[in-house]
Amino acid sequence: MSLPYFRFYPTDYEADTTHLTTEEDGAYCRLLRLCWRTPGCSLPNDHTWIRRRVRATEEEYQRAYLPVIEEYFTVTNKRIGNKRLMQEYEVSEVRHKSASENGAKGGRPRKPLKSNETEKAKGSDPNNPN
């Protein structure tokens, strides 16, 4: 199952992409989203497969996608991935797993109440003897 969202840092993104054309910027965002939704948060090193999924013509792919892939993605074990996105994916997986486990236990673990808060929680007020 892919996680339904990823954290996005606009300041970091802008700092790293100010030189991209509008078309390349859109290509980069689309590639990140495709990676996120693909098992393992990476893409097969198959440009025909990628081009079909991003719905680009051959000309668009050559002009906008290939330069972005070459600059921001790396090939490992016949897969194409983005280092920063993979880091975010791993952090999100840990958080999602923790939230699922806590949900199965009935929610987040609660901190023990302090003695004064315990009395209030029981319905009595230690300052009011009635």
Side-chain angles (χ1 to χ4, degrees):
M1 175 188 93
S2 69
L3 300 167
Y5 66 92
F6 61 88
R7 297 185 310 172
F8 183 75
Y9 299 90
T11 304
D12 293 349
Y13 183 86
E14 288 301 319
D16 292 341
T17 62
T18 56
H19 63 286
L20 297 180
T21 66
T22 302
E23 188 177 27
E24 290 168 337
D25 182 69
Y28 188 25
C29 283
R30 185 167 277 181
L31 287 165
L32 291 174
R33 294 190 316 263
L34 179 60
C35 270
W36 190 263
R37 296 185 57 217
T38 304
C41 197
S42 65
L43 307 173
N45 189 11
D46 177 346
H47 292 287
T48 301
W49 186 94
I50 296 169
R51 188 175 61 76
R52 285 183 49 93
R53 267 103 189 140
V54 297
R55 302 178 301 279
T57 66
E58 183 63 37
E59 293 166 0
E60 291 168 333
Y61 193 77
Q62 294 290 325
R63 185 178 58 243
Y65 287 86
L66 280 181
V68 167
I69 290 170
E70 289 171 4
E71 184 171 352
Y72 296 101
F73 292 79
T74 56
V75 178
T76 308
N77 298 327
K78 299 183 182 180
R79 305 286 296 177
I80 297 173
N82 178 278
K83 181 181 177 182
R84 173 71 183 264
L85 188 65
M86 182 56 78
Q87 290 169 345
E88 293 300 329
Y89 187 80
E90 289 168 355
V91 167
S92 294
E93 274 191 318
V94 168
R95 287 182 175 173
H96 179 74
K97 183 179 178 184
S98 175
S100 293
E101 289 170 357
N102 286 336
K105 295 175 186 173
R108 288 185 181 208
R110 297 203 169 110
K111 294 180 184 176
L113 296 173
K114 295 178 185 173
S115 62
N116 190 19
E117 292 171 337
T118 304
E119 293 301 318
K120 286 181 183 177
K122 290 181 182 175
S124 64
D125 184 350
N127 297 324
N128 183 357
N130 294 329

PDB file of all heavy atoms in Angstrom, residues 35-58:
ATOM      1  N   CYS A  35       6.599   8.237  -8.397  1.00  0.00           N
ATOM      2  CA  CYS A  35       7.482   7.445  -7.523  1.00  0.00           C
ATOM      3  C   CYS A  35       6.754   7.074  -6.239  1.00  0.00           C
ATOM      4  O   CYS A  35       6.799   5.926  -5.794  1.00  0.00           O
ATOM      5  CB  CYS A  35       8.734   8.235  -7.155  1.00  0.00           C
ATOM      6  SG  CYS A  35      10.110   8.035  -8.257  1.00  0.00           S
ATOM      7  N   TRP A  36       6.127   8.060  -5.609  1.00  0.00           N
ATOM      8  CA  TRP A  36       5.468   7.854  -4.322  1.00  0.00           C
ATOM      9  C   TRP A  36       4.417   6.764  -4.419  1.00  0.00           C
ATOM     10  O   TRP A  36       4.263   5.948  -3.509  1.00  0.00           O
ATOM     11  CB  TRP A  36       4.826   9.159  -3.853  1.00  0.00           C
ATOM     12  CG  TRP A  36       4.344   9.084  -2.445  1.00  0.00           C
ATOM     13  CD1 TRP A  36       3.075   8.819  -2.015  1.00  0.00           C
ATOM     14  CD2 TRP A  36       5.127   9.269  -1.267  1.00  0.00           C
ATOM     15  NE1 TRP A  36       3.025   8.835  -0.650  1.00  0.00           N
ATOM     16  CE2 TRP A  36       4.270   9.116  -0.168  1.00  0.00           C
ATOM     17  CE3 TRP A  36       6.474   9.561  -1.038  1.00  0.00           C
ATOM     18  CZ2 TRP A  36       4.714   9.237   1.138  1.00  0.00           C
ATOM     19  CZ3 TRP A  36       6.906   9.693   0.263  1.00  0.00           C
ATOM     20  CH2 TRP A  36       6.026   9.524   1.334  1.00  0.00           C
ATOM     21  N   ARG A  37       3.709   6.716  -5.530  1.00  0.00           N
ATOM     22  CA  ARG A  37       2.610   5.759  -5.688  1.00  0.00           C
ATOM     23  C   ARG A  37       3.063   4.399  -6.207  1.00  0.00           C
ATOM     24  O   ARG A  37       2.274   3.460  -6.255  1.00  0.00           O
ATOM     25  CB  ARG A  37       1.569   6.346  -6.640  1.00  0.00           C
ATOM     26  CG  ARG A  37       0.925   7.590  -6.064  1.00  0.00           C
ATOM     27  CD  ARG A  37      -0.176   8.118  -6.933  1.00  0.00           C
ATOM     28  NE  ARG A  37      -1.164   7.065  -7.109  1.00  0.00           N
ATOM     29  CZ  ARG A  37      -1.824   6.866  -8.237  1.00  0.00           C
ATOM     30  NH1 ARG A  37      -1.603   7.612  -9.286  1.00  0.00           N
ATOM     31  NH2 ARG A  37      -2.712   5.903  -8.315  1.00  0.00           N
ATOM     32  N   THR A  38       4.319   4.287  -6.587  1.00  0.00           N
ATOM     33  CA  THR A  38       4.841   3.035  -7.122  1.00  0.00           C
ATOM     34  C   THR A  38       5.501   2.236  -5.996  1.00  0.00           C
ATOM     35  O   THR A  38       6.228   2.819  -5.187  1.00  0.00           O
ATOM     36  CB  THR A  38       5.862   3.319  -8.244  1.00  0.00           C
ATOM     37  OG1 THR A  38       5.223   4.122  -9.240  1.00  0.00           O
ATOM     38  CG2 THR A  38       6.360   2.044  -8.882  1.00  0.00           C
ATOM     39  N   PRO A  39       5.226   0.946  -5.884  1.00  0.00           N
ATOM     40  CA  PRO A  39       5.829   0.149  -4.806  1.00  0.00           C
ATOM     41  C   PRO A  39       7.340   0.345  -4.721  1.00  0.00           C
ATOM     42  O   PRO A  39       8.031   0.346  -5.736  1.00  0.00           O
ATOM     43  CB  PRO A  39       5.474  -1.291  -5.195  1.00  0.00           C
ATOM     44  CG  PRO A  39       4.213  -1.156  -5.997  1.00  0.00           C
ATOM     45  CD  PRO A  39       4.364   0.146  -6.755  1.00  0.00           C
ATOM     46  N   GLY A  40       7.804   0.552  -3.497  1.00  0.00           N
ATOM     47  CA  GLY A  40       9.220   0.775  -3.265  1.00  0.00           C
ATOM     48  C   GLY A  40       9.643   2.221  -3.462  1.00  0.00           C
ATOM     49  O   GLY A  40      10.811   2.554  -3.350  1.00  0.00           O
ATOM     50  N   CYS A  41       8.703   3.081  -3.800  1.00  0.00           N
ATOM     51  CA  CYS A  41       8.958   4.509  -4.004  1.00  0.00           C
ATOM     52  C   CYS A  41      10.062   4.733  -5.040  1.00  0.00           C
ATOM     53  O   CYS A  41      10.911   5.607  -4.894  1.00  0.00           O
ATOM     54  CB  CYS A  41       9.304   5.184  -2.673  1.00  0.00           C
ATOM     55  SG  CYS A  41       9.158   6.985  -2.724  1.00  0.00           S
ATOM     56  N   SER A  42      10.046   3.915  -6.090  1.00  0.00           N
ATOM     57  CA  SER A  42      11.000   4.061  -7.180  1.00  0.00           C
ATOM     58  C   SER A  42      10.349   3.564  -8.462  1.00  0.00           C
ATOM     59  O   SER A  42       9.324   2.889  -8.427  1.00  0.00           O
ATOM     60  CB  SER A  42      12.280   3.281  -6.890  1.00  0.00           C
ATOM     61  OG  SER A  42      12.017   1.898  -6.838  1.00  0.00           O
ATOM     62  N   LEU A  43      10.964   3.911  -9.576  1.00  0.00           N
ATOM     63  CA  LEU A  43      10.412   3.560 -10.882  1.00  0.00           C
ATOM     64  C   LEU A  43      11.330   2.578 -11.590  1.00  0.00           C
ATOM     65  O   LEU A  43      12.551   2.611 -11.391  1.00  0.00           O
ATOM     66  CB  LEU A  43      10.301   4.824 -11.745  1.00  0.00           C
ATOM     67  CG  LEU A  43       9.547   6.001 -11.130  1.00  0.00           C
ATOM     68  CD1 LEU A  43       9.665   7.224 -12.024  1.00  0.00           C
ATOM     69  CD2 LEU A  43       8.104   5.638 -10.879  1.00  0.00           C
ATOM     70  N   PRO A  44      10.769   1.728 -12.434  1.00  0.00           N
ATOM     71  CA  PRO A  44      11.641   0.864 -13.222  1.00  0.00           C
ATOM     72  C   PRO A  44      12.503   1.732 -14.150  1.00  0.00           C
ATOM     73  O   PRO A  44      12.048   2.773 -14.621  1.00  0.00           O
ATOM     74  CB  PRO A  44      10.683  -0.008 -14.028  1.00  0.00           C
ATOM     75  CG  PRO A  44       9.319   0.439 -13.730  1.00  0.00           C
ATOM     76  CD  PRO A  44       9.365   1.531 -12.721  1.00  0.00           C
ATOM     77  N   ASN A  45      13.705   1.320 -14.398  1.00  0.00           N
ATOM     78  CA  ASN A  45      14.582   2.053 -15.307  1.00  0.00           C
ATOM     79  C   ASN A  45      14.182   1.715 -16.741  1.00  0.00           C
ATOM     80  O   ASN A  45      14.913   1.079 -17.493  1.00  0.00           O
ATOM     81  CB  ASN A  45      16.047   1.709 -15.044  1.00  0.00           C
ATOM     82  CG  ASN A  45      16.993   2.601 -15.824  1.00  0.00           C
ATOM     83  OD1 ASN A  45      16.577   3.593 -16.402  1.00  0.00           O
ATOM     84  ND2 ASN A  45      18.257   2.244 -15.836  1.00  0.00           N
ATOM     85  N   ASP A  46      12.987   2.134 -17.085  1.00  0.00           N
ATOM     86  CA  ASP A  46      12.387   1.844 -18.384  1.00  0.00           C
ATOM     87  C   ASP A  46      11.667   3.113 -18.830  1.00  0.00           C
ATOM     88  O   ASP A  46      10.569   3.420 -18.346  1.00  0.00           O
ATOM     89  CB  ASP A  46      11.422   0.668 -18.237  1.00  0.00           C
ATOM     90  CG  ASP A  46      10.681   0.326 -19.512  1.00  0.00           C
ATOM     91  OD1 ASP A  46      10.681   1.132 -20.462  1.00  0.00           O
ATOM     92  OD2 ASP A  46      10.067  -0.760 -19.547  1.00  0.00           O
ATOM     93  N   HIS A  47      12.293   3.854 -19.733  1.00  0.00           N
ATOM     94  CA  HIS A  47      11.743   5.151 -20.114  1.00  0.00           C
ATOM     95  C   HIS A  47      10.402   5.040 -20.823  1.00  0.00           C
ATOM     96  O   HIS A  47       9.568   5.939 -20.703  1.00  0.00           O
ATOM     97  CB  HIS A  47      12.764   5.943 -20.932  1.00  0.00           C
ATOM     98  CG  HIS A  47      13.939   6.344 -20.103  1.00  0.00           C
ATOM     99  ND1 HIS A  47      13.876   7.332 -19.143  1.00  0.00           N
ATOM    100  CD2 HIS A  47      15.201   5.855 -20.047  1.00  0.00           C
ATOM    101  CE1 HIS A  47      15.047   7.459 -18.556  1.00  0.00           C
ATOM    102  NE2 HIS A  47      15.872   6.561 -19.075  1.00  0.00           N
ATOM    103  N   THR A  48      10.133   3.966 -21.529  1.00  0.00           N
ATOM    104  CA  THR A  48       8.824   3.776 -22.157  1.00  0.00           C
ATOM    105  C   THR A  48       7.752   3.626 -21.076  1.00  0.00           C
ATOM    106  O   THR A  48       6.673   4.220 -21.164  1.00  0.00           O
ATOM    107  CB  THR A  48       8.840   2.539 -23.079  1.00  0.00           C
ATOM    108  OG1 THR A  48       9.845   2.730 -24.070  1.00  0.00           O
ATOM    109  CG2 THR A  48       7.495   2.323 -23.738  1.00  0.00           C
ATOM    110  N   TRP A  49       8.047   2.841 -20.034  1.00  0.00           N
ATOM    111  CA  TRP A  49       7.107   2.642 -18.922  1.00  0.00           C
ATOM    112  C   TRP A  49       6.814   3.982 -18.241  1.00  0.00           C
ATOM    113  O   TRP A  49       5.666   4.314 -17.989  1.00  0.00           O
ATOM    114  CB  TRP A  49       7.717   1.652 -17.921  1.00  0.00           C
ATOM    115  CG  TRP A  49       6.806   1.242 -16.818  1.00  0.00           C
ATOM    116  CD1 TRP A  49       5.997   0.138 -16.783  1.00  0.00           C
ATOM    117  CD2 TRP A  49       6.623   1.897 -15.551  1.00  0.00           C
ATOM    118  NE1 TRP A  49       5.322   0.077 -15.586  1.00  0.00           N
ATOM    119  CE2 TRP A  49       5.683   1.156 -14.819  1.00  0.00           C
ATOM    120  CE3 TRP A  49       7.149   3.050 -14.981  1.00  0.00           C
ATOM    121  CZ2 TRP A  49       5.261   1.514 -13.545  1.00  0.00           C
ATOM    122  CZ3 TRP A  49       6.727   3.428 -13.704  1.00  0.00           C
ATOM    123  CH2 TRP A  49       5.800   2.661 -13.001  1.00  0.00           C
ATOM    124  N   ILE A  50       7.870   4.733 -17.966  1.00  0.00           N
ATOM    125  CA  ILE A  50       7.697   6.024 -17.280  1.00  0.00           C
ATOM    126  C   ILE A  50       6.926   6.991 -18.170  1.00  0.00           C
ATOM    127  O   ILE A  50       5.973   7.641 -17.727  1.00  0.00           O
ATOM    128  CB  ILE A  50       9.070   6.627 -16.891  1.00  0.00           C
ATOM    129  CG1 ILE A  50       9.784   5.739 -15.880  1.00  0.00           C
ATOM    130  CG2 ILE A  50       8.885   8.040 -16.322  1.00  0.00           C
ATOM    131  CD1 ILE A  50      11.243   6.115 -15.641  1.00  0.00           C
ATOM    132  N   ARG A  51       7.299   7.094 -19.426  1.00  0.00           N
ATOM    133  CA  ARG A  51       6.654   8.042 -20.340  1.00  0.00           C
ATOM    134  C   ARG A  51       5.159   7.784 -20.439  1.00  0.00           C
ATOM    135  O   ARG A  51       4.354   8.722 -20.429  1.00  0.00           O
ATOM    136  CB  ARG A  51       7.301   7.967 -21.729  1.00  0.00           C
ATOM    137  CG  ARG A  51       6.799   9.060 -22.667  1.00  0.00           C
ATOM    138  CD  ARG A  51       7.523   9.050 -23.996  1.00  0.00           C
ATOM    139  NE  ARG A  51       7.372   7.823 -24.754  1.00  0.00           N
ATOM    140  CZ  ARG A  51       6.281   7.483 -25.436  1.00  0.00           C
ATOM    141  NH1 ARG A  51       5.237   8.273 -25.457  1.00  0.00           N
ATOM    142  NH2 ARG A  51       6.239   6.349 -26.091  1.00  0.00           N
ATOM    143  N   ARG A  52       4.764   6.534 -20.489  1.00  0.00           N
ATOM    144  CA  ARG A  52       3.319   6.215 -20.551  1.00  0.00           C
ATOM    145  C   ARG A  52       2.602   6.645 -19.275  1.00  0.00           C
ATOM    146  O   ARG A  52       1.499   7.151 -19.317  1.00  0.00           O
ATOM    147  CB  ARG A  52       3.107   4.721 -20.783  1.00  0.00           C
ATOM    148  CG  ARG A  52       3.387   4.287 -22.201  1.00  0.00           C
ATOM    149  CD  ARG A  52       3.087   2.818 -22.399  1.00  0.00           C
ATOM    150  NE  ARG A  52       1.789   2.409 -21.894  1.00  0.00           N
ATOM    151  CZ  ARG A  52       0.671   2.365 -22.607  1.00  0.00           C
ATOM    152  NH1 ARG A  52       0.685   2.720 -23.870  1.00  0.00           N
ATOM    153  NH2 ARG A  52      -0.457   1.958 -22.066  1.00  0.00           N
ATOM    154  N   ARG A  53       3.246   6.421 -18.123  1.00  0.00           N
ATOM    155  CA  ARG A  53       2.586   6.747 -16.850  1.00  0.00           C
ATOM    156  C   ARG A  53       2.496   8.252 -16.582  1.00  0.00           C
ATOM    157  O   ARG A  53       1.599   8.695 -15.899  1.00  0.00           O
ATOM    158  CB  ARG A  53       3.285   6.062 -15.685  1.00  0.00           C
ATOM    159  CG  ARG A  53       2.654   4.709 -15.364  1.00  0.00           C
ATOM    160  CD  ARG A  53       3.347   3.606 -15.807  1.00  0.00           C
ATOM    161  NE  ARG A  53       2.727   2.305 -15.720  1.00  0.00           N
ATOM    162  CZ  ARG A  53       2.877   1.458 -16.700  1.00  0.00           C
ATOM    163  NH1 ARG A  53       3.495   1.797 -17.800  1.00  0.00           N
ATOM    164  NH2 ARG A  53       2.397   0.241 -16.602  1.00  0.00           N
ATOM    165  N   VAL A  54       3.431   9.008 -17.120  1.00  0.00           N
ATOM    166  CA  VAL A  54       3.362  10.463 -16.929  1.00  0.00           C
ATOM    167  C   VAL A  54       2.583  11.128 -18.062  1.00  0.00           C
ATOM    168  O   VAL A  54       2.414  12.343 -18.065  1.00  0.00           O
ATOM    169  CB  VAL A  54       4.762  11.104 -16.773  1.00  0.00           C
ATOM    170  CG1 VAL A  54       5.459  10.578 -15.534  1.00  0.00           C
ATOM    171  CG2 VAL A  54       5.605  10.939 -18.018  1.00  0.00           C
ATOM    172  N   ARG A  55       2.128  10.324 -19.012  1.00  0.00           N
ATOM    173  CA  ARG A  55       1.293  10.770 -20.117  1.00  0.00           C
ATOM    174  C   ARG A  55       1.981  11.852 -20.965  1.00  0.00           C
ATOM    175  O   ARG A  55       1.388  12.869 -21.315  1.00  0.00           O
ATOM    176  CB  ARG A  55      -0.070  11.269 -19.598  1.00  0.00           C
ATOM    177  CG  ARG A  55      -0.812  10.210 -18.806  1.00  0.00           C
ATOM    178  CD  ARG A  55      -2.124  10.683 -18.233  1.00  0.00           C
ATOM    179  NE  ARG A  55      -2.081  11.809 -17.333  1.00  0.00           N
ATOM    180  CZ  ARG A  55      -1.771  11.746 -16.037  1.00  0.00           C
ATOM    181  NH1 ARG A  55      -1.469  10.588 -15.491  1.00  0.00           N
ATOM    182  NH2 ARG A  55      -1.780  12.816 -15.277  1.00  0.00           N
ATOM    183  N   ALA A  56       3.256  11.637 -21.265  1.00  0.00           N
ATOM    184  CA  ALA A  56       4.028  12.587 -22.057  1.00  0.00           C
ATOM    185  C   ALA A  56       4.247  12.058 -23.470  1.00  0.00           C
ATOM    186  O   ALA A  56       4.405  10.853 -23.667  1.00  0.00           O
ATOM    187  CB  ALA A  56       5.379  12.842 -21.396  1.00  0.00           C
ATOM    188  N   THR A  57       4.263  12.966 -24.415  1.00  0.00           N
ATOM    189  CA  THR A  57       4.662  12.580 -25.766  1.00  0.00           C
ATOM    190  C   THR A  57       6.166  12.327 -25.745  1.00  0.00           C
ATOM    191  O   THR A  57       6.858  12.724 -24.795  1.00  0.00           O
ATOM    192  CB  THR A  57       4.355  13.694 -26.784  1.00  0.00           C
ATOM    193  OG1 THR A  57       5.180  14.822 -26.481  1.00  0.00           O
ATOM    194  CG2 THR A  57       2.879  14.081 -26.774  1.00  0.00           C
ATOM    195  N   GLU A  58       6.658  11.715 -26.789  1.00  0.00           N
ATOM    196  CA  GLU A  58       8.105  11.477 -26.870  1.00  0.00           C
ATOM    197  C   GLU A  58       8.869  12.795 -26.831  1.00  0.00           C
ATOM    198  O   GLU A  58       9.892  12.910 -26.161  1.00  0.00           O
ATOM    199  CB  GLU A  58       8.445  10.690 -28.146  1.00  0.00           C
ATOM    200  CG  GLU A  58       9.908  10.328 -28.269  1.00  0.00           C
ATOM    201  CD  GLU A  58      10.415   9.399 -27.168  1.00  0.00           C
ATOM    202  OE1 GLU A  58       9.675   8.500 -26.743  1.00  0.00           O
ATOM    203  OE2 GLU A  58      11.576   9.587 -26.732  1.00  0.00           O
TER     204      GLU A  58
END
